[in-house]
Amino acid sequence: MKQREREDKMRNRGKDQGKDISDAAEVGHGDENYDYDDEEESLDDEDDCNESERAQTDTAEDENDSEHNEENLVILPLKEYAKNTYNNLAMSLFHCMEVLQAEFPRNPSMSQSFQCMTEVAELLNILYTYINADDDDSIWFDGLLEEPIYQESDRNNWPDLLASMYTEKCKKVKFKMARSICIQELRYLRTNFELPSWANRFYHSKNECKQDVQVYLLQKTKCILCTVSSSFCFYNVPMKENSLLGGKSKNQVTLSPLEVLVVDEAAQLKECEALIPMQLPGIRQAVFIGDECQLPALVKSKISDNAGFGRSVFERLSSLGYSKHLLNVQYRMHPEISKFPVASFYERKISDGPNVICKNYERSLLPGKMFGPYSFINVDGGHETTEKHGRSPKNTVEVAAVLWIVQRLFEESVFAGTMLSVGIVSPYNAQVRAIQEKLGKSYDMYDGFSVKVKSVDGFQGAEQDVIIISTVRSNGVGSVGFLTNLQRTNVALTRAKHCLWIVGNATTLSNSRSVWRKIVKDAMDRGCLFDASDNKDMSNALLNAITELDDADNLARMDSLHISMPLFQGSGQRYRR
């Protein structure tokens, strides 16, 4: 190796010296007294020198690193070290207590352990406050290592100790008590709170651990709530005696097969979708809850609809003669609201629950008979229009009527200090959008007052204190489109708890030869049919809406609202009780 280095150096030296190295060679060959050993010794000396320089450089670098590490090393005082150590450990422990309390499955035998977790979290906060206080370190640091921890072996006496600690006025004594009780509580949890056997198992991946956690949580539950589609996930959960899943490792956590399936809104569930949970291994009994008189599954394709792909299992079982149990008591609607739907859609087989027939259930939200539990408000001054790039109709005059009612409800709710939920329902998306645009976020900032605007389909299964229905249709031929759908009408009429107010053109609906003719006649017979012109403030709001829109057709029909321009121009009166 050294010989090769010498040769390389000699070549490099030759390149550097040019002619001089050649001259030296000629002289050497001509001079028999030239000593080649002197050249080798010179090269050896140069190698030794380089090695020495490298060793000195390495030593210097090591010394610099050592000095740099010493500069970064900070030695904390004992108090600071103790404070920092406690803060780090307490933060992790507090988070652990929070997770266990929120996520860990509970049973009656573990109530004592969860009570301990709650108390430990409180005690950690108390200790943190004293340890991080800047005014007096002696409260917690003096005697930290010397003083023994008081122990009360009887768990039943701990509540009394906690109570006495909270009433203790001496900060130093209070800190000592909190410290002692906290340590005893933690020792109790270490002894009595059992984590699952797999908690300390080594996992090769996070997914393995995640699956065991999920299965463990499922094992401890009595009821699992999920959508029909998400129930597919249970096919990937290892279950006991489940041959479909193949071999399972010896230590794998398994779930007992699910035995009972309960499907809500089953009449709105397509038959093919219901098969997902019905084929889960172990299902022995299925209960379907639904209402055939309300909206079925949505099938957009007419070909698929005609082929029966929208049929539900509920409908199929009914057609095959399976017996059904009718839930014949309703607990939502005021009797005045339920009267027509029960008679028209349920053959009077449903009765009102004791809670809704109670006098306290009736709420007088706005003054006047028009705003009783049930009313039809006739607005025949508007007409249907369609959006620029759509076919869905809307009625701007009805929008104005609805907005005025909502504003009045809001004012009364704030004035009385009561909570109120309002739902605005329309069969047509264009009307829903028009109302939403006008409302904006006007009422979002008030916790006690909420307004939801949705289509009939969007309100199925929901309920509100007050429901306002905007029927939209207003024409001279009695055309009402899919308002003729009995199931959609039933859903719209059965969402309200205390008040249901229908806003629409009574003439158009009466000429429709649909269920709405019966609704208008029923309201008239019961004395619940009112004209918008009966309320001057509402009429004024409708006139303003027509004027702002500069709607020539609506202005031409203004006489139908019994409104004259001079009566309301410049009127600044507010409608108050």
Side-chain angles (χ1 to χ4, degrees):
M1 190 70 173
K2 287 186 177 182
Q3 180 65 27
R4 187 178 301 171
E5 289 178 358
R6 289 195 193 99
E7 292 175 357
D8 292 338
K9 290 178 180 178
M10 288 180 70
R11 288 192 199 97
N12 293 334
R13 183 178 297 174
K15 291 178 182 178
D16 295 338
Q17 294 177 350
K19 293 180 180 180
D20 292 340
I21 193 71
S22 301
D23 294 340
E26 290 178 2
V27 172
H29 285 290
D31 189 357
E32 294 180 358
N33 296 324
Y34 184 80
D35 192 353
Y36 287 95
D37 291 338
D38 291 340
E39 175 71 21
E40 291 183 3
E41 289 177 2
S42 175
L43 293 174
D44 289 339
D45 293 341
E46 186 175 343
D47 291 338
D48 294 340
C49 181
N50 290 338
E51 290 178 2
S52 176
E53 289 177 357
R54 281 195 297 271
Q56 292 177 359
T57 301
D58 292 341
T59 303
E61 290 177 355
D62 292 341
E63 291 176 355
N64 290 335
D65 291 341
S66 177
E67 292 176 0
H68 181 69
N69 291 334
E70 288 179 0
E71 289 178 0
N72 291 336
L73 181 62
V74 178
I75 301 176
L76 294 174
L78 180 58
K79 288 182 180 179
E80 284 297 317
Y81 174 78
K83 181 187 294 186
N84 292 344
T85 303
Y86 173 82
N87 289 342
N88 292 332
L89 293 175
M91 187 178 298
S92 299
L93 184 57
F94 187 85
H95 177 69
C96 178
M97 296 292 108
E98 280 188 325
V99 171
L100 289 173
Q101 285 183 295
E103 307 293 343
F104 201 85
R106 303 192 181 202
N107 59 57
S109 64
M110 301 173 67
S111 60
Q112 199 75 269
S113 295
F114 282 102
Q115 179 63 30
C116 270
M117 293 180 196
T118 303
E119 293 168 359
V120 165
E122 294 177 4
L123 292 167
L124 288 174
N125 279 326
I126 293 173
L127 296 175
Y128 179 88
T129 301
Y130 284 123
I131 290 176
N132 290 276
D134 296 329
D135 53 353
D136 189 3
D137 289 341
S138 64
I139 294 176
W140 65 275
F141 190 72
D142 292 350
L144 184 64
L145 302 177
E146 294 84 0
E147 293 186 7
I149 297 173
Y150 173 77
Q151 296 192 31
E152 173 56 61
S153 58
D154 190 355
R155 176 70 180 84
N156 296 324
N157 294 332
W158 290 359
D160 295 334
L161 287 175
L162 280 169
S164 62
M165 180 202 69
Y166 284 117
T167 58
E168 178 60 50
K169 294 182 179 180
C170 178
K171 293 181 178 180
K172 185 174 290 189
V173 174
K174 188 173 183 177
F175 175 83
K176 292 176 182 178
M177 293 179 70
R179 176 189 173 211
S180 297
I181 298 171
C182 185
I183 292 175
Q184 291 181 76
E185 301 256 27
L186 289 172
R187 287 173 177 171
Y188 177 89
L189 287 172
R190 184 182 63 185
T191 306
N192 297 277
F193 184 72
E194 294 185 8
L195 289 170
S197 58
W198 47 264
N200 296 319
R201 187 186 304 166
F202 174 77
Y203 289 95
H204 295 283
S205 67
K206 289 184 178 180
N207 288 334
E208 282 185 58
C209 179
K210 182 179 179 181
Q211 187 180 58
D212 277 356
V213 172
Q214 289 174 339
V215 175
Y216 178 78
L217 294 175
L218 291 172
Q219 285 177 334
K220 301 297 181 180
T221 58
K222 300 296 181 183
C223 181
I224 301 171
L225 302 178
C226 65
T227 63
V228 171
S229 300
S230 62
S231 67
F232 176 77
C233 298
F234 290 104
Y235 286 94
N236 298 321
V237 175
M239 296 191 183
K240 296 177 182 177
E241 301 178 0
N242 186 356
S243 59
L244 295 176
L245 292 171
K248 298 185 287 290
S249 64
K250 185 177 180 180
N251 296 324
Q252 189 173 26
V253 182
T254 57
L255 177 68
S256 298
L258 307 174
E259 297 181 352
V260 180
L261 170 67
V262 180
V263 181
D264 193 17
E265 294 288 356
Q268 201 180 12
L269 183 67
K270 290 190 283 288
E271 200 168 16
C272 56
E273 294 174 329
L275 294 177
I276 299 174
M278 288 179 67
Q279 295 188 92
L280 284 172
I283 296 294
R284 297 182 180 181
Q285 185 177 8
V287 180
F288 295 95
I289 304 171
D291 188 349
E292 295 172 285
C293 297
Q294 295 192 10
L295 289 173
L298 177 62
V299 180
K300 294 184 177 180
S301 168
K302 291 185 178 180
I303 297 175
S304 299
D305 193 25
N306 294 334
F309 289 164
R311 178 176 56 186
S312 66
V313 174
F314 198 94
E315 184 180 348
R316 174 187 281 272
L317 294 177
S318 297
S319 64
L320 294 175
Y322 280 81
S323 60
K324 294 182 290 185
H325 177 74
L326 177 66
L327 302 177
N328 58 358
V329 181
Q330 70 87 14
Y331 301 94
R332 173 189 297 160
M333 298 172 282
H334 187 281
E336 289 295 310
I337 301 173
S338 65
K339 189 172 183 178
F340 182 84
V342 168
S344 302
F345 306 121
Y346 297 101
E347 301 175 348
R348 303 183 186 276
K349 293 181 179 179
I350 296 179
S351 60
D352 298 318
N355 65 312
V356 299
I357 62 177
C358 179
K359 189 175 182 180
N360 294 334
Y361 199 75
E362 184 172 339
R363 296 181 65 176
S364 179
L365 300 172
L366 295 177
K369 293 183 179 180
M370 182 185 293
F371 301 106
Y374 177 76
S375 64
F376 189 107
I377 303 172
N378 179 35
V379 179
D380 58 2
H383 75 285
E384 306 167 20
T385 59
T386 57
E387 293 179 317
K388 187 175 181 180
H389 301 291
R391 294 182 297 175
S392 180
K394 63 179 181 179
N395 188 319
T396 54
V397 177
E398 286 190 16
V399 171
V402 169
L403 293 176
W404 182 87
I405 295 172
V406 172
Q407 178 63 28
R408 291 290 295 114
L409 285 171
F410 171 72
E411 291 173 359
E412 293 295 328
S413 175
V414 173
F415 180 76
T418 57
M419 298 184 67
L420 188 68
S421 61
V422 180
I424 303 173
V425 185
S426 180
Y428 299 100
N429 288 327
Q431 187 77 346
V432 170
R433 286 190 290 270
I435 296 172
Q436 287 175 335
E437 288 173 4
K438 288 291 184 179
L439 279 176
K441 299 182 179 180
S442 305
Y443 306 107
D444 290 355
M445 64 184 73
Y446 301 97
D447 294 335
F449 187 84
S450 64
V451 183
K452 294 182 180 179
V453 188
K454 294 182 181 180
S455 65
V456 177
D457 301 61
F459 255 111
Q460 174 148 321
E463 65 179 25
Q464 300 291 319
D465 294 331
V466 180
I467 290 289
I468 306 170
I469 301 176
S470 176
T471 59
V472 178
R473 305 313 294 259
S474 182
N475 53 71
V477 295
S479 174
V480 295
F482 65 13
L483 277 179
T484 57
N485 185 288
L486 295 178
Q487 293 164 311
R488 184 167 279 102
T489 302
N490 183 27
V491 171
L493 296 176
T494 55
R495 301 303 97 198
K497 296 169 63 177
H498 304 289
C499 296
L500 172 64
W501 302 327
I502 304 171
V503 177
N505 189 318
T507 304
T508 300
L509 298 176
S510 295
N511 295 332
S512 66
R513 296 181 181 180
S514 69
V515 66
W516 285 92
R517 170 187 285 182
K518 296 180 179 179
I519 292 173
V520 174
K521 186 179 184 303
D522 173 74
M524 187 181 297
D525 294 342
R526 293 163 56 184
C528 299
L529 180 62
F530 304 91
D531 282 321
S533 60
D534 294 342
N535 187 296
K536 293 181 179 180
D537 287 295
M538 182 185 290
S539 297
N540 193 22
L542 303 187
L543 175 61
N544 290 336
I546 294 170
T547 306
E548 287 175 9
L549 292 167
D550 193 21
D551 193 327
D553 291 335
N554 279 336
L555 286 169
R557 298 183 182 193
M558 199 180 302
D559 290 339
S560 64
L561 286 171
H562 310 291
I563 299 172
S564 60
M565 292 290 290
L567 177 62
F568 295 100
Q569 284 182 342
S571 174
Q573 289 184 344
R574 298 291 296 173
Y575 181 43
R576 287 286 309 170
R577 233 181 334 198

